[in-house]
């Protein structure tokens, strides 16, 4: 497969020098994101996130399976990330690249390990039946900021998702189809989101938010902070690169909180709009199986 | 959720980094396709005299399995007929089709891994691939249009349903997918289920009416269309108007 063309030396120098003068090629501020847009599909659990030219699609699905032997009371929750040749012909099918491994690892740490989805609520019959929730992340186009966009997409898809309703009667498990009973949402605990900082300059003194693909190729280090809107940090990942001053990192996390609050609000707003669009009112509302708390 | 039969919609050049791309939605299906080519082929795919056409179908959920591979092989053999592969020896034309949304059957809970063939998605795959190829400027012998037709037996009477919903596919006696080139040649004919030769002929005529209508009906022409045919979508006209609007937008500066 053809390799991606790397930016030339001149291009690299131009970007770095401009950033040192607090200028970005697309005219943004250093701590400014590209416009983030979230839309939901006709089906439940489909989220489409665009961040500038980056576009990520996430789809959540649920199936009844057998739980893991060592965790009989937990459901299964997986996030599958695969970069297809659609993103760039340099990516091959069934051959994960470093970008892909890092992306799935970060999403795993942010969403799965932070306990955003209550996996115990996915258990149907202890040790025998449970829900297996799977989120597929499709990167449609890649222009930097993949982690941040993918995280919003995964969280959006899971919060939008409705799994089929079930009931237990005399040891018999019934899974209702959407025609029989309105599907129910997942038990969602908090919404962790990622904010990625890129560092430029010899000592990584220039910190930049939401780097484009060109900037990502030039940066000397990057740091991904995952936190929710209450300021609870789920993980901080700084994988190699130039060492960065600790005080600068603290500054980064506080700015990240502001951004995460913005994204959370946007996500809440879009979900509410989608709910309103779907709400047929009247009889359908009566038929709903879940209780309002 | 009910699938409303609306007119097909398409957008070209939706992906910034691929040579050509298209987004297409019709009958509940939404797909995005990207085309890269001619690019360097891998050693194992390299043909000495022609370009290798690679089709990758990626489902919205789960990893692609046997049924995606089957759809890919059907598409590959059809599209390799259309693309002028002899023009690009030792190179690769890569077509990636990503399913974004497909209509769901409310009466069954969907399983992630399904062994059965999903024929109903085939027309959308063909249309999206063709639009993306046109967007990438890959030279082709002809364009193609495709449609799905189901034969449903209801209360003793049989009727043909164009663009069947998943529910109709499930209850149908037979499902057919037909694709025609812009020279009115039959490009692809896939059928599933029990049917007679007479039924297939009906299906063929219906599909031909949708895929191969001879231009928009002008006033004063002697063309007579019965009501049913006039209301159905005209795929060839759709393809033409999509390309026309794209070209008009691209040459706006002139």
């Amino acid at each position: 497969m053809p390799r991606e063309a790397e930016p030339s030396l001149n291009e690299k120098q131009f970007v770095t020098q401009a950033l040192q003068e607090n200028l970005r090629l697309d005219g943004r501020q250093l701590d400014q994101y590209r416009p983030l847009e979230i839309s939901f599909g006709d089906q439940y659990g489909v989220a489409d996130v665009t961040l500038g030219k980056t576009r990520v699609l996430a789809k959540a699905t649920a199936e009844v399976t057998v739980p893991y032997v060592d965790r009989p009371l937990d459901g299964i929750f997986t996030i599958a990330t695969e970069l297809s040749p659609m993103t760039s012909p340099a990516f091959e099918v069934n051959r994960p690249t470093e970008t892909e491994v890092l992306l799935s690892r970060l999403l795993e740490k942010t969403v799965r390990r932070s306990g955003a989805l209550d996996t115990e609520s996915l258990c149907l019959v202890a040790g025998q039946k449970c829900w297996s929730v799977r989120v597929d992340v499709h990167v449609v186009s890649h222009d930097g900021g993949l982690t941040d966009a993918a995280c919003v997409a995964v969280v959006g898809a899971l919060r939008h998702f409705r799994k089929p309703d079930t009931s237990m009667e005399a040891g018999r498990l019934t899974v209702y189809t959407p025609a029989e009973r309105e599907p129910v949402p997942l038990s969602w605990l908090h919404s962790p989101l990622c904010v990625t900082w890129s560092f430029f300059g010899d000592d990584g003194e220039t910190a930049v938010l939401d780097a484009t693909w060109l900037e990502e190729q030039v940066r000397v280090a990057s740091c991904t902070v995952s936190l929710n809107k209450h300021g609870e940090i789920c993980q901080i990942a700084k994988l190699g690169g130039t060492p960065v001053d600790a005080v600068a990192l603290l500054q980064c996390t506080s700015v990240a909180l502001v951004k995460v609050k913005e994204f959370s609000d946007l996500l809440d707003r879009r979900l509410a709009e989608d709910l309103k669009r779907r709400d047929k009112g009247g009889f359908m509302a009566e038929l709903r199986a879940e209780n309002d708390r | 959720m009910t699938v409303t039969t609306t007119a097909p919609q398409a957008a070209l050049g939706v992906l910034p980094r691929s040579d050509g791309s298209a987004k297409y939605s019709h009958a509940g299906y939404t797909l995005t396709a990207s085309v890269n080519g001619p690019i360097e082929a891998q050693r194992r795919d390299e043909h000495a005299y022609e370009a290798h056409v690679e089709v990758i179908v990626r489902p919205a959920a789960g990893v692609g399995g046997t049924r995606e591979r089957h759809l890919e092989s059907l598409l590959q053999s059809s599209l390799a007929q259309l693309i002028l592969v002899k023009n690009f020896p030792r190179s690769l034309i890569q077509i990636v089709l990503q399913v974004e949304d497909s209509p769901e059957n409310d009466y069954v809970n969907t399983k992630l891994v399904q062994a059965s063939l999903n024929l109903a998605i085939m027309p959308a795959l063909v249309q999206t691939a063709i639009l993306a190829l046109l967007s990438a400027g890959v030279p082709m012998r002809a364009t193609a249009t495709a449609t799905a037709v189901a034969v449903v037996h209801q209360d003793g009477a049989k009727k043909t349903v164009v663009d069947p919903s998943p529910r109709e596919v499930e209850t149908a006696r037979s499902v057919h997918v037909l694709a025609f080139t812009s020279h009115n040649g039959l490009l692809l004919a896939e059928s599933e289920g029990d049917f007679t030769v007479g039924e297939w002929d009906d299906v063929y005529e219906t599909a031909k009416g949708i895929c191969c209508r001879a231009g928009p009906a002008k006033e004063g022409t002697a063309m007579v269309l019965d009501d049913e045919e006039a209301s159905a979508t005209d795929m060839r006209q759709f393809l033409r108007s999509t390309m026309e609007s794209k070209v008009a937008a691209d040459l706006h500066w002139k």
Side-chain angles (χ1 to χ4, degrees), chain B residues 125-181:
Chain B
L125 289 172
V126 174
Q127 296 286 353
T128 322
I130 292 289
L131 283 167
L133 283 166
L134 286 170
S135 158
V138 174
M140 289 193 283
R141 205 165 271 126
T143 60
T145 46
T147 192
V149 180
V151 180
V152 183
H153 287 249
Q154 212 171 42
D155 314 322
K158 69 170 196 277
K159 62 172 185 178
T160 52
V161 182
V162 179
D163 296 321
S165 68
R167 178 85 174 140
E168 284 166 331
V169 169
E170 201 189 52
T171 51
R173 191 66 68 88
S174 62
V175 183
H176 310 261
V177 170
L178 288 96
F180 294 87
T181 65

Side-chain angles (χ1 to χ4, degrees), chain A residues 4 42-43 55 138 142 179, chain B residues 1 17 60 62 100 102 106 112:
Chain A
E4 277 292 303
D42 283 337
Q43 280 175 20
R55 185 167 159 233
H138 303 291
H142 176 20
Chain B
M1 269 156 278
R17 287 176 68 201
E100 289 182 12
S102 52
D106 273 355
L112 210 56

Side-chain angles (χ1 to χ4, degrees), chain A residues 4 42-43 55 57 59 61 63 82 84-86 89 92 134 136 138 140 142 164 175-179 213, chain B residues 1 15 17 23 32 34 36 42 56 58-62 94 96 98 100-102 104 106-107 109 111-112:
Chain A
E4 277 292 303
D42 283 337
Q43 280 175 20
R55 185 167 159 233
L57 191 79
K59 186 176 163 69
T61 42
E63 243 185 333
E82 206 188 339
S84 68
M86 181 176 267
E92 260 180 84
R134 181 193 165 100
D136 286 85
H138 303 291
V140 180
H142 176 20
V175 181
Y176 296 101
T177 61
W213 175 233
Chain B
M1 269 156 278
L15 306 178
R17 287 176 68 201
K23 186 175 178 166
T32 301
S34 80
N36 282 304
Q42 271 183 316
I56 300 162
R58 292 172 57 85
Q94 190 178 49
V96 188
Q98 173 73 56
E100 289 182 12
D101 221 344
S102 52
E104 260 174 22
D106 273 355
Y107 295 88
N109 279 315
K111 276 251 190 294
L112 210 56

